Amino acid sequence: MHEPSLERATAEEYARWFQALADPTRILIVRFVSRQERPVPAGVIVDHLKLSQSTVSHHLKILRQARFLTTARAGTSILYSLDDHCLTQLPAGLLTGNGPYHPGRASPRTAADHPDGHTPIKRPEMDATTPPTGDTPAPVLLLIGSGDRRYREYILAAITRDFRLWLLDAYEPTWQLPYIEGATVLNTKDVRALYEAAGPVAAALPVVGVFTYDESLVHAAAQLAQTLGLPGSPPRAVLACRDKATTRALLTEAEIPQPASIPVADADEATAAAETIGYPVVVKARGLAGSMGVLRADTPAAVRQAYTVAAGATYAGVPRYEADVLIEELVTGEEISIDAVITEGVCTPMVLARKQVGCNPYFEEIGHTVHGADPLMEDPELLDQLNRIHKAIGYVHGATHTEFKLTPHGPRLIEINARLGGDFIPYLGALATGTDPAVAAAHVAAGFAPDTTPRTGNTAAIRFLYPAQDCIAATVTVRTDRLGPTIHRAVATAGPGTALALPPRAYLNRYGYVIAVGEDPEQVTADLADPSALIELRAQPPAS
């Protein structure tokens, strides 16, 4: 039988390809990339494989050199896709699971008959009550706002495995482009504008839900979902989470124990409220979150100063009130947060994070630790309060981030937010438990049953880096030579020339963060013991 000849140069190229595949991680990368409808950034691959950024970058470099992957740039992102030359020369089934390549037949990822070279996406009608299966096109979520790429891209990377996204945002999309089906630029605080923009999208695509993780947009998103007849909690319940005074009033009515709290409209009312409650007190902005405009006060003079700070703290899109500041009882104990999903009034906690705060007398969040098998997740008193709080507020469908202090008298609510937690808490939850709270929240927003079953019992933790004082960053350097075995990611979030300031001049003004994950909680803690040594800041005094 005559066999086709194989030139040595071709054989050498094949040998390089097989050598590049002689690592299970690289096989997984190629297989994952081959199954994506669009080119993907490295961060998506990192999140899918649950590996460190440096490890994935190393393997991507080898795969590019071997011509398994090709790259393209979209804004500041580098996107990866499978190289067609590789796909048509090696058995496609080895990498993609689509069966062998046959000469004369189109490659599984080729659509030469389509004018733009891409396979058109089919958009049949869907049953909005059932998750898609098989070849059914992915359903669409209306994503309201997208946030800071540094802290939110992981959510888009996670939920686009199951959903297509149509972005409704105040800015033209840039880094979001690899993740979205399309976008509409508009005033995201204008509910009528949102509805007018969403209508044509819902008429053309199988829209199944409205999704946001932006604190300033949760009420508008709830109103839009209600108007479109999509899943969600009543807007009044979402607003009750946004307005801390309303939260307190509803919990008082439901006889749920909580810190004493008095809304005030000026400094005189603030000092009178502090005298009523008793020192020390916490002074906080009524409608903000993330510890913005929150500080401790031990004397009348400190209360007056704290009132000025809290009343002056602002965030775009957050409503103001006549009595815009709360004076609250200072409760002591460990602070935790719970990210939960709620369907038909049933609250299912998914992530419990133990919080670290700093910048006294402020309460800046400097770290969180998540244990995949935290015993508090089964604490009957804590779970009872969590359920009663949601019922009292009337929050029956969606995702929430609820913060408690574990006082000597039992759990006491600090605040509840009608969204996923920030500060990478859902990401830590996914690393620790093997189940992604962001994906679960997206499924709930679509009216689908979420996957909330933990699969692993790791410990995942994050530490944020703040300067010792106000400064201008000269250099911010990740010391890769000092990273311990559990370090998952170390990222500098400030560059040369970045102005860094502490409260009350700025909040959450960090220059980097470090994430660690592992089976041994003690090793995770040890590797994060001195995060400032892992990301070094050289700074200059601020301009006078």
Side-chain angles (χ1 to χ4, degrees), residues 22-308:
D23 183 286
T25 297
R26 292 197 283 275
I27 292 175
L28 291 172
I29 289 174
V30 173
R31 189 175 181 85
F32 174 71
V33 171
S34 74
R35 292 184 168 193
Q36 307 310 303
E37 292 182 350
R38 305 181 183 91
V40 294
V44 174
I45 303 169
V46 169
D47 290 339
H48 175 72
L49 296 180
K50 301 294 190 291
L51 296 173
S52 69
Q53 181 81 42
S54 60
T55 297
V56 171
S57 295
H58 167 72
H59 290 301
L60 288 174
K61 180 179 179 181
I62 293 173
L63 292 169
R64 286 201 316 272
Q65 291 172 341
R67 298 175 64 191
F68 274 102
L69 299 180
T70 184
T71 60
R73 184 172 289 277
T76 59
S77 295
I78 296 177
L79 308 180
Y80 294 85
S81 58
L82 205 63
D83 192 313
D84 288 340
H85 176 66
C86 152
L87 192 61
T88 57
Q89 296 299 318
L90 279 179
L94 175 65
L95 307 175
T96 66
N98 288 323
Y101 168 73
H102 297 279
R105 191 180 300 176
S107 160
R109 292 180 61 84
T110 300
D113 56 333
H114 196 260
D116 62 4
H118 296 283
T119 305
I121 298 174
K122 299 177 182 178
R123 311 194 195 285
E125 292 296 321
M126 294 186 58
D127 176 0
T129 64
T130 307
T133 57
D135 295 329
T136 304
V140 175
L141 287 175
L142 298 175
L143 175 65
I144 315 299
S146 52
D148 187 332
R149 178 181 188 177
R150 298 170 299 174
Y151 293 96
R152 294 302 197 179
E153 186 174 13
Y154 78 94
I155 296 180
L156 272 66
I159 64 179
T160 49
R161 298 171 197 158
D162 295 337
F163 298 94
R164 290 178 286 164
L165 301 178
W166 191 280
L167 177 63
L168 302 174
D169 210 343
Y171 306 97
E172 289 285 349
T174 53
W175 64 267
Q176 305 92 335
L177 290 171
Y179 306 105
I180 61 176
E181 186 80 1
T184 306
V185 179
L186 75 171
N187 178 2
T188 51
K189 310 301 191 298
D190 185 337
V191 177
R192 179 177 292 276
L194 286 171
Y195 177 71
E196 291 175 351
V201 179
L205 299 172
V207 172
V208 292
V210 178
F211 187 69
T212 191
Y213 40 76
D214 187 320
E215 177 69 20
S216 69
L217 298 175
V218 292
H219 188 227
Q223 290 175 292
L224 179 61
Q226 184 181 68
T227 303
L228 295 174
L230 295 172
S233 280
R236 66 177 182 278
V238 173
L239 198 57
C241 296
R242 297 258 18 245
D243 178 2
K244 294 179 176 62
T246 300
T247 300
R248 295 298 187 200
L250 290 171
L251 266 60
T252 298
E253 185 178 338
E255 299 182 342
I256 298 172
Q258 60 178 327
S261 178
I262 302 175
V264 299
D266 58 41
D268 289 337
E269 290 185 7
T271 54
E275 293 292 340
T276 299
I277 293 172
Y279 291 98
V281 294
V282 174
V283 183
K284 63 170 63 174
R286 177 171 171 175
L288 297 181
S291 300
M292 295 177 64
V294 182
L295 63 161
R296 171 176 170 154
D298 291 70
T299 66
V303 168
R304 287 183 172 274
Q305 183 179 2
Y307 175 85
T308 301

